[in-house]
Each structure stands twice: as C-alpha cells, then as structure tokens.
Amino acid sequence: MQESFELLADRIIQTTPQILAAITSLVVLIFIGRLASNGVGRLLGGERAKGVKQVRLIKRLVRWAFNVLGLVIALHLVGLTQVATSFLAAGGVVAVVLGFAFREIGENLLAGLFLSFSRSFDVGDLIESNGIRGVVQRIEIRDVHIRTADGCDIFIPSATIYKNPLHNFTRDGLRRGSFTIGIDYGDDLQKARETLLKAVQEHKLTLANPKANIQIAAFNAAFVELEVLFWIDTFSNEHGLGEIRSQVMDDCHKVLAEKGFTYSSNVTTAVDMLPVSVNIDSEKK
C-alpha cells in the first residue's frame, strides 16, 4: 500500500507540469473563444445583432470550436493522445451520422447562413422564388417568411430560395407598371400614342428616366391594342405600384375621352352600320 501510494505520488508530481499546462491551455482557449465570439458578433452588427438568431448561432459555433480545440490539446498534453484521437474520430462519425439523418435540416441551415451574408434581399423586399411572390417579413436560418398580396403567410425553406432563381422587384426601388387599352381602327394611332405618352409623363409619380413608352401590342378583331409602360420609384413615395397604376389608368381614360377617341370599352364593331332607306315599288298588273 505504501509503495503504491508513493508511486502514485511520484507519478502525480512528474505529471503536474503537463496537467497544469493542459488546464492552462484549456482555460486560455476557452477565453480566446469567448473573445473571438464577441468579436464576430461586433463584426456582424454590434449591439443590434444580439437578438438575431443567425448571429447568435455563429457566435455559439465559434465559441464551441475553440472549446473543442482546447480539450483536444489538453488531452494531448497529459499524454492521452489516443483518447484525443478517439474523441475526434467519434465526433467525426457522429457528424456524418447526423449529417445523413438531418440532411435537409442541415442543408437549410447552411443555405440560411449563406443567404444571411449574400444580401440578395432584405426584410421589406418584394421577391419571387419558385413561383411564390411576396414581401419578406423575416429571414430565419431555416426558412424565409414572406407574405403574399392576398395576406397569406408562407415559409419558404432557405435551401429552396438558395437553389432556385430569385426575383427581387424592389432592390433598387424601380418598378415597371403596364396596362393595355384598345383604340378603334378608325382613330389616329400615332396621335393616340402621343396623347397617352403625354398623360403618363405628366403624372407626378411616374419617372422621366427610365422613359415611359406606348407601343402597339396587337391587332384584335374590333380594336387595336396599345400597351402603356411606365416606371416608378418605390423608395421615394408611399404609394404602391397598384395604386399608381390605377391613377395612371384613370388619367389615360380621361384624356382619351376628352380627345374624342373611341377606346375598347366603347367599340362594338369596326364597320359603321348606317341606316339604308329602301323603297319598294309595287306594280299593279
């Protein structure tokens, strides 16, 4: 018993420097991990980023990475290299198993991280992806919350948005509006185009650049179809595209009526049906 205790005491005394070095390295790396985590948080947004889930997740991953590194180094310093190697190998196996088991979740998480840094869209933008269009309400790690025009809340997986083409309609604030109107074949088409163009340009909410355009869209059976194209800036006014489009349509309707044009709603046929007087003379035999 005495010899065993003496051998144990000698071994502890001999390994004390390694144990102290291991504890010191573990504490130092934990401290560095906290500093690195806070530094990443400040880099990604400072105080405003405290409530953002993406930033909290990244900070946690950075901190745990330093903690694991400190544990592996500590095990190596005390002579438990095989244990450290086994620990890393077990962690790798667990990561592979979890990766296969939660492949879709992991895919959405990685896609959410990439979307957080790519800045292809932000909260308040009107986007369309995979045939779904709406205004972005929240950007989470796993999904993106958008609200459609009819008030439906849709949660699109981040991987779906990341893998499919993304249409951002409000990134630069410019939106193009359009509508069609029919003009009678008997009216002067060039004059109608000039009249509509002037009405669009004089509207206070349409832009001079990019320029508005009035073009012939189609020749229908009863009227010529004109397409009115104009641009607006969604950043500089509080009205949406639908409201401005309605105002421009109203202005065009009024100016066509004032100028005496016959537009599609009044067209019945392209041929004038004039009354014909027919006299029938009956001969008496």
Side-chain angles (χ1 to χ4, degrees):
M1 291 286 293
Q2 183 178 359
E3 290 180 356
S4 299
F5 279 115
E6 289 178 355
L7 290 175
L8 180 60
D10 292 338
R11 186 176 298 177
I12 292 175
I13 293 173
Q14 292 175 1
T15 58
T16 297
Q18 290 86 350
I19 296 175
L20 292 177
I23 296 175
T24 302
S25 62
L26 179 60
V27 172
V28 169
L29 284 173
I30 291 176
F31 180 73
I32 293 176
R34 291 183 178 274
L35 292 179
S37 174
N38 294 331
V40 170
R42 287 193 296 269
L43 184 63
L44 296 179
E47 295 296 330
R48 296 175 300 174
K50 287 185 176 181
V52 181
K53 292 184 178 180
Q54 295 92 326
V55 177
R56 291 205 306 267
L57 177 61
I58 294 173
K59 291 173 62 177
R60 192 174 302 167
L61 291 175
V62 171
R63 187 169 63 252
W64 277 103
F66 278 94
N67 292 347
V68 172
L69 179 62
L71 180 60
V72 171
I73 294 176
L75 292 174
H76 178 72
L77 288 176
V78 296
L80 301 177
T81 305
Q82 293 183 351
V83 176
T85 305
S86 302
F87 177 76
L88 292 176
V93 172
V94 172
V96 172
V97 173
L98 292 178
F100 279 105
F102 302 99
R103 182 179 61 85
E104 294 184 358
I105 296 177
E107 185 180 14
N108 287 325
L109 291 177
L110 289 176
L113 288 176
F114 292 145
L115 289 176
S116 299
F117 294 106
S118 63
R119 298 185 181 275
S120 56
F121 62 94
D122 206 345
V123 175
D125 287 346
L126 176 63
I127 65 171
E128 180 177 353
S129 180
N130 202 28
I132 303 175
R133 178 185 296 189
V135 179
V136 178
Q137 303 296 317
R138 270 197 322 273
I139 303 174
E140 303 289 349
I141 285 291
R142 187 176 179 273
D143 52 42
V144 176
H145 174 202
I146 69 171
R147 182 168 296 160
T148 61
D150 57 355
C152 180
D153 293 302
I154 301 178
F155 298 86
I156 307 177
S158 299
T160 301
I161 295 181
Y162 189 75
K163 292 187 296 184
N164 291 285
L166 176 71
H167 304 270
N168 192 331
F169 297 96
T170 53
R171 185 174 180 85
D172 58 359
L174 295 180
R175 293 289 309 278
R176 193 187 75 172
S178 65
F179 60 89
T180 58
I181 189 168
I183 299 296
D184 188 38
Y185 278 95
D187 291 332
D188 189 340
L189 294 181
Q190 184 59 32
K191 185 177 179 181
R193 292 178 61 193
E194 294 174 355
T195 302
L196 290 173
L197 181 60
K198 183 178 180 182
V200 173
Q201 291 175 341
E202 290 179 350
H203 194 280
K204 61 181 181 180
L205 297 180
T206 59
L207 298 177
N209 188 25
K211 296 180 180 179
N213 186 26
I214 313 296
Q215 59 188 18
I216 299 176
F219 293 104
N220 293 324
F223 56 87
V224 180
E225 188 175 282
L226 299 181
E227 185 176 12
V228 181
L229 305 171
F230 60 93
W231 292 85
I232 67 170
D233 185 1
T234 58
F235 291 165
S236 62
N237 62 78
E238 58 183 7
H239 299 285
L241 178 60
E243 173 62 25
I244 298 176
R245 179 175 177 270
S246 298
Q247 295 180 15
V248 175
M249 290 180 69
D250 184 58
D251 291 347
C252 291
H253 168 266
K254 290 178 180 179
V255 72
L256 288 177
E258 292 174 358
K259 299 295 182 180
F261 287 95
T262 304
Y263 38 89
S264 58
S265 59
N266 291 337
V267 174
T268 56
T269 178
V271 180
D272 292 333
M273 302 298 294
L274 300 177
V276 179
S277 177
V278 180
N279 296 324
I280 299 177
D281 296 329
S282 59
E283 296 182 359
K284 295 181 180 180
K285 294 184 179 180

